[in-house]
Amino acid sequence: MSLDSDVIVDRRRIRRKLTFWRVTAALVAIAAIAIVGVVATPGGRGALTSSGSIARINIDGLIRSDQERVEALERLENSRAAAVIVHINSPGGTTAGSEQLYDALVRLKAKKPLVVVVDGLAASGGYITAVAADHIVAQQSSLVGSIGVLFQYPNFTELLKTVGVKVEEVKSSPLKAAPNGFEPTSPEARAALDALVKDSYAWFRGLVKERRGMDDALLEKVADGRVFTGRQAVDLKLIDQLGDEKTALAWLVANKNVKGDLPVRDYKLSPRFGDLTFLRTAASIALDALGLGSIARHIEQAGVAQAVDRLGLDGMLALWHPAGTN
């Protein structure tokens, strides 16, 4: 019996040690990768902002207000990067967020040669972002434009009648919290929203006219809300040139005295905590070390922010998307 007890005690001791070293290894891995991640984020990328490189930044997905992104662009302003290439693949987003990004890029352009490359889509707020540059390059099949603003809201009036629900409210004035979706939109509320949309639309049109050097006739042709292919956009002055990043580099060399042999290096803008690659990798290693590999695989494949992007949009939108299919 004594021998059996000693064996059991030894096994338990070995298990505790094994668990301790697994956890220790996981923590060391997280710390090491986190350090690498800090170096790779806007606050600690000295190597990526040297005078011997061109910074590549990517604007992907829905655009919303993002102060961290603005601060990252300000750091890039003060870096020693020789030039900046902005890749855009976005259907737009909120009008305010697009304006914020546009202003930040204009300030960056004042200090660094800057060119935009439309990878697949620069529509609505994505196009607002693009016109910050003096030169826009797009592929032949890219989609650009969708110059317009919308304000969308659901109306549940008929549904509430069906289920027998009535929403009571007390408010200070007729237009407070209008429209609210619980009652038919009044003519006064609709007129107020129409004024908001028209004012933002006028700002958008004026921006395009000024930045792209269009006359009123051409502006009227392109500002009806539709998107255009890159091939169409060249003739309509929405973009300057067909091509890709190599085309953009050639323009920088020819027009901005940028050295042609400089490497292009990624400069990431405001990564979200749930989507940081280094954090997902660290979590994956830690869970693997603890024997939870299946959970680790889910973390590797998940992009947390992407799942809630559309739910986070609020206010007036400069946004384009094709109609859904059944």
Side-chain angles (χ1 to χ4, degrees):
M1 292 295 294
S2 176
L3 180 59
D4 290 340
S5 298
D6 290 342
V7 171
I8 292 172
V9 170
D10 287 339
R11 285 180 178 176
R12 288 178 176 173
R13 186 182 299 114
I14 292 172
R15 282 180 186 169
R16 285 196 296 269
K17 287 183 178 180
L18 182 58
T19 300
F20 169 79
W21 287 113
R22 278 182 172 178
V23 173
T24 301
L27 293 175
V28 170
I30 291 173
I33 298 172
I35 292 172
V36 173
V38 169
V39 173
T41 53
R45 55 159 59 88
L48 300 189
T49 55
S50 68
S51 57
S53 66
I54 297 171
R56 177 197 294 121
I57 62 178
N58 293 285
I59 307 298
D60 297 315
L62 299 176
I63 298 171
R64 70 185 80 195
S65 297
D66 188 336
Q67 187 58 36
E68 289 184 3
R69 180 177 59 209
V70 171
E71 293 170 359
L73 290 171
E74 289 174 349
R75 286 191 289 271
L76 187 53
E77 278 182 49
N78 300 318
S79 74
R80 293 184 298 166
V84 180
I85 298 177
V86 182
H87 283 260
I88 299 177
N89 187 17
S90 170
T94 65
T95 308
S98 302
E99 181 182 1
Q100 181 196 57
L101 179 54
Y102 167 85
D103 288 340
L105 289 176
V106 167
R107 291 192 296 269
L108 176 59
K109 186 193 67 175
K111 295 192 177 178
K112 309 282 183 187
L114 186 148
V115 60
V116 159
V117 177
V118 180
D119 289 328
L121 179 63
S124 294
Y127 188 66
I128 291 174
T129 303
V131 298
D134 292 329
H135 196 77
I136 303 174
V137 177
Q139 297 182 19
Q140 297 187 56
S141 58
S142 296
L143 296 178
V144 299
S146 187
I147 299 169
V149 179
L150 72 154
F151 191 106
Q152 291 181 322
Y153 55 94
N155 191 298
F156 304 105
T157 305
E158 296 302 318
L159 175 62
L160 294 178
K161 287 181 180 178
T162 301
V163 298
V165 175
K166 184 178 180 180
V167 178
E168 302 285 352
E169 66 179 5
V170 177
K171 55 185 180 181
S172 59
S173 56
L175 295 181
K176 179 64 178 176
N180 56 31
F182 302 129
E183 61 186 6
T185 304
S186 68
E188 295 77 14
R190 189 173 295 277
L193 291 177
D194 185 62
L196 288 176
V197 170
K198 286 181 177 177
D199 185 67
S200 291
Y201 178 49
W203 167 78
F204 195 168
R205 284 170 56 100
L207 188 66
V208 174
K209 180 179 180 179
E210 175 189 353
R211 295 294 303 143
R212 301 304 302 167
M214 294 183 181
D215 57 30
D216 290 335
L218 182 56
L219 179 64
E220 198 67 30
K221 186 176 182 179
V222 302
D224 61 358
R226 80 179 87 174
V227 292
F228 302 89
T229 66
R231 286 161 55 91
Q232 295 172 318
V234 170
D235 294 334
L236 295 172
K237 298 180 68 173
L238 289 169
I239 67 169
D240 299 289
Q241 194 175 4
L242 295 174
D244 54 14
E245 184 173 277
K246 289 185 178 180
T247 310
L249 282 170
W251 181 82
L252 287 172
V253 172
N255 296 276
K256 297 297 181 179
N257 298 318
V258 175
K259 295 180 180 179
D261 58 348
L262 294 181
V264 180
R265 294 174 175 164
D266 287 327
Y267 185 91
K268 296 187 182 300
L269 300 177
S270 78
R272 301 173 189 273
F273 182 85
D275 282 339
L276 286 175
T277 301
F278 75 89
L279 284 177
R280 290 205 305 271
T281 304
S284 175
I285 292 174
L287 289 170
D288 270 334
L290 295 173
L292 301 175
S294 61
I295 297 177
R297 300 292 79 76
H298 285 295
I299 291 176
E300 289 176 352
Q301 297 170 5
V304 176
Q306 294 176 0
V308 297
D309 260 349
R310 290 187 178 272
L311 297 178
L313 294 177
D314 194 14
M316 284 186 292
L317 306 179
L319 180 65
W320 175 88
H321 60 85
T325 57
N326 295 325

